[in-house]
PDB file of all heavy atoms in Angstrom:
ATOM      1  N   ASN A1533     -30.028  -2.044  -8.660  1.00  0.00           N
ATOM      2  CA  ASN A1533     -30.710  -1.081  -9.601  1.00  0.00           C
ATOM      3  C   ASN A1533     -29.931   0.188  -9.588  1.00  0.00           C
ATOM      4  O   ASN A1533     -29.071   0.405  -8.837  1.00  0.00           O
ATOM      5  CB  ASN A1533     -32.217  -0.990  -9.312  1.00  0.00           C
ATOM      6  CG  ASN A1533     -32.397  -0.488  -7.941  1.00  0.00           C
ATOM      7  OD1 ASN A1533     -31.877   0.500  -7.468  1.00  0.00           O
ATOM      8  ND2 ASN A1533     -33.359  -1.077  -7.256  1.00  0.00           N
ATOM      9  N   GLY A1534     -30.398   1.119 -10.495  1.00  0.00           N
ATOM     10  CA  GLY A1534     -29.591   2.361 -10.595  1.00  0.00           C
ATOM     11  C   GLY A1534     -29.557   3.139  -9.318  1.00  0.00           C
ATOM     12  O   GLY A1534     -28.398   3.656  -8.961  1.00  0.00           O
ATOM     13  N   SER A1535     -30.545   3.275  -8.552  1.00  0.00           N
ATOM     14  CA  SER A1535     -30.555   4.044  -7.304  1.00  0.00           C
ATOM     15  C   SER A1535     -29.642   3.390  -6.323  1.00  0.00           C
ATOM     16  O   SER A1535     -28.892   4.104  -5.663  1.00  0.00           O
ATOM     17  CB  SER A1535     -31.988   4.165  -6.705  1.00  0.00           C
ATOM     18  OG  SER A1535     -32.458   2.908  -6.459  1.00  0.00           O
ATOM     19  N   ASP A1536     -29.638   2.066  -6.207  1.00  0.00           N
ATOM     20  CA  ASP A1536     -28.725   1.359  -5.249  1.00  0.00           C
ATOM     21  C   ASP A1536     -27.290   1.602  -5.649  1.00  0.00           C
ATOM     22  O   ASP A1536     -26.389   1.701  -4.834  1.00  0.00           O
ATOM     23  CB  ASP A1536     -29.075  -0.128  -5.192  1.00  0.00           C
ATOM     24  CG  ASP A1536     -30.350  -0.384  -4.429  1.00  0.00           C
ATOM     25  OD1 ASP A1536     -30.793   0.524  -3.693  1.00  0.00           O
ATOM     26  OD2 ASP A1536     -30.887  -1.516  -4.624  1.00  0.00           O
ATOM     27  N   ALA A1537     -27.017   1.584  -6.975  1.00  0.00           N
ATOM     28  CA  ALA A1537     -25.628   1.784  -7.406  1.00  0.00           C
ATOM     29  C   ALA A1537     -25.187   3.185  -7.028  1.00  0.00           C
ATOM     30  O   ALA A1537     -23.989   3.416  -6.611  1.00  0.00           O
ATOM     31  CB  ALA A1537     -25.612   1.626  -8.958  1.00  0.00           C
ATOM     32  N   ASP A1538     -26.039   4.165  -7.095  1.00  0.00           N
ATOM     33  CA  ASP A1538     -25.671   5.531  -6.710  1.00  0.00           C
ATOM     34  C   ASP A1538     -25.386   5.577  -5.224  1.00  0.00           C
ATOM     35  O   ASP A1538     -24.465   6.260  -4.793  1.00  0.00           O
ATOM     36  CB  ASP A1538     -26.809   6.507  -7.053  1.00  0.00           C
ATOM     37  CG  ASP A1538     -26.951   6.689  -8.607  1.00  0.00           C
ATOM     38  OD1 ASP A1538     -26.041   6.355  -9.280  1.00  0.00           O
ATOM     39  OD2 ASP A1538     -28.124   7.097  -8.955  1.00  0.00           O
ATOM     40  N   VAL A1539     -26.212   4.905  -4.426  1.00  0.00           N
ATOM     41  CA  VAL A1539     -26.022   4.869  -2.938  1.00  0.00           C
ATOM     42  C   VAL A1539     -24.718   4.170  -2.646  1.00  0.00           C
ATOM     43  O   VAL A1539     -23.950   4.694  -1.815  1.00  0.00           O
ATOM     44  CB  VAL A1539     -27.186   4.191  -2.296  1.00  0.00           C
ATOM     45  CG1 VAL A1539     -26.905   3.988  -0.827  1.00  0.00           C
ATOM     46  CG2 VAL A1539     -28.440   5.019  -2.418  1.00  0.00           C
ATOM     47  N   PHE A1540     -24.453   3.114  -3.346  1.00  0.00           N
ATOM     48  CA  PHE A1540     -23.268   2.350  -3.090  1.00  0.00           C
ATOM     49  C   PHE A1540     -21.980   3.203  -3.393  1.00  0.00           C
ATOM     50  O   PHE A1540     -21.065   3.253  -2.650  1.00  0.00           O
ATOM     51  CB  PHE A1540     -23.268   1.117  -3.931  1.00  0.00           C
ATOM     52  CG  PHE A1540     -21.953   0.349  -3.851  1.00  0.00           C
ATOM     53  CD1 PHE A1540     -21.617  -0.370  -2.719  1.00  0.00           C
ATOM     54  CD2 PHE A1540     -21.047   0.273  -4.906  1.00  0.00           C
ATOM     55  CE1 PHE A1540     -20.453  -1.055  -2.653  1.00  0.00           C
ATOM     56  CE2 PHE A1540     -19.919  -0.448  -4.911  1.00  0.00           C
ATOM     57  CZ  PHE A1540     -19.586  -1.081  -3.737  1.00  0.00           C
ATOM     58  N   PHE A1541     -22.031   3.914  -4.553  1.00  0.00           N
ATOM     59  CA  PHE A1541     -20.934   4.702  -4.945  1.00  0.00           C
ATOM     60  C   PHE A1541     -20.713   5.926  -3.935  1.00  0.00           C
ATOM     61  O   PHE A1541     -19.608   6.262  -3.609  1.00  0.00           O
ATOM     62  CB  PHE A1541     -21.130   5.324  -6.353  1.00  0.00           C
ATOM     63  CG  PHE A1541     -19.897   5.988  -6.913  1.00  0.00           C
ATOM     64  CD1 PHE A1541     -18.876   5.378  -7.487  1.00  0.00           C
ATOM     65  CD2 PHE A1541     -19.861   7.429  -6.790  1.00  0.00           C
ATOM     66  CE1 PHE A1541     -17.772   6.029  -7.951  1.00  0.00           C
ATOM     67  CE2 PHE A1541     -18.756   8.080  -7.284  1.00  0.00           C
ATOM     68  CZ  PHE A1541     -17.775   7.404  -7.854  1.00  0.00           C
ATOM     69  N   ALA A1542     -21.809   6.437  -3.491  1.00  0.00           N
ATOM     70  CA  ALA A1542     -21.725   7.496  -2.422  1.00  0.00           C
ATOM     71  C   ALA A1542     -21.062   7.024  -1.177  1.00  0.00           C
ATOM     72  O   ALA A1542     -20.284   7.764  -0.523  1.00  0.00           O
ATOM     73  CB  ALA A1542     -23.113   8.074  -2.150  1.00  0.00           C
ATOM     74  N   ARG A1543     -21.375   5.757  -0.780  1.00  0.00           N
ATOM     75  CA  ARG A1543     -20.721   5.226   0.480  1.00  0.00           C
ATOM     76  C   ARG A1543     -19.248   5.017   0.244  1.00  0.00           C
ATOM     77  O   ARG A1543     -18.417   5.284   1.121  1.00  0.00           O
ATOM     78  CB  ARG A1543     -21.391   3.920   0.767  1.00  0.00           C
ATOM     79  CG  ARG A1543     -22.797   4.032   1.309  1.00  0.00           C
ATOM     80  CD  ARG A1543     -23.396   2.676   1.528  1.00  0.00           C
ATOM     81  NE  ARG A1543     -24.774   2.753   2.004  1.00  0.00           N
ATOM     82  CZ  ARG A1543     -25.547   1.736   2.096  1.00  0.00           C
ATOM     83  NH1 ARG A1543     -25.216   0.495   1.662  1.00  0.00           N
ATOM     84  NH2 ARG A1543     -26.790   1.905   2.607  1.00  0.00           N
ATOM     85  N   CYS A1544     -18.889   4.622  -0.977  1.00  0.00           N
ATOM     86  CA  CYS A1544     -17.440   4.504  -1.336  1.00  0.00           C
ATOM     87  C   CYS A1544     -16.770   5.878  -1.234  1.00  0.00           C
ATOM     88  O   CYS A1544     -15.670   6.016  -0.814  1.00  0.00           O
ATOM     89  CB  CYS A1544     -17.235   3.868  -2.677  1.00  0.00           C
ATOM     90  SG  CYS A1544     -17.728   2.118  -2.801  1.00  0.00           S
ATOM     91  N   ARG A1545     -17.468   6.860  -1.774  1.00  0.00           N
ATOM     92  CA  ARG A1545     -16.930   8.218  -1.736  1.00  0.00           C
ATOM     93  C   ARG A1545     -16.743   8.720  -0.318  1.00  0.00           C
ATOM     94  O   ARG A1545     -15.737   9.320   0.024  1.00  0.00           O
ATOM     95  CB  ARG A1545     -17.827   9.176  -2.533  1.00  0.00           C
ATOM     96  CG  ARG A1545     -17.276  10.561  -2.838  1.00  0.00           C
ATOM     97  CD  ARG A1545     -16.144  10.394  -3.819  1.00  0.00           C
ATOM     98  NE  ARG A1545     -15.483  11.553  -4.083  1.00  0.00           N
ATOM     99  CZ  ARG A1545     -15.682  12.317  -5.201  1.00  0.00           C
ATOM    100  NH1 ARG A1545     -16.493  11.781  -6.104  1.00  0.00           N
ATOM    101  NH2 ARG A1545     -15.022  13.412  -5.452  1.00  0.00           N
TER     102      ARG A1545
END
Side-chain angles (χ1 to χ4, degrees):
N1533 56 49
S1535 60
D1536 286 344
D1538 292 340
V1539 171
F1540 174 71
F1541 188 83
R1543 289 175 181 170
C1544 292
R1545 194 66 184 256

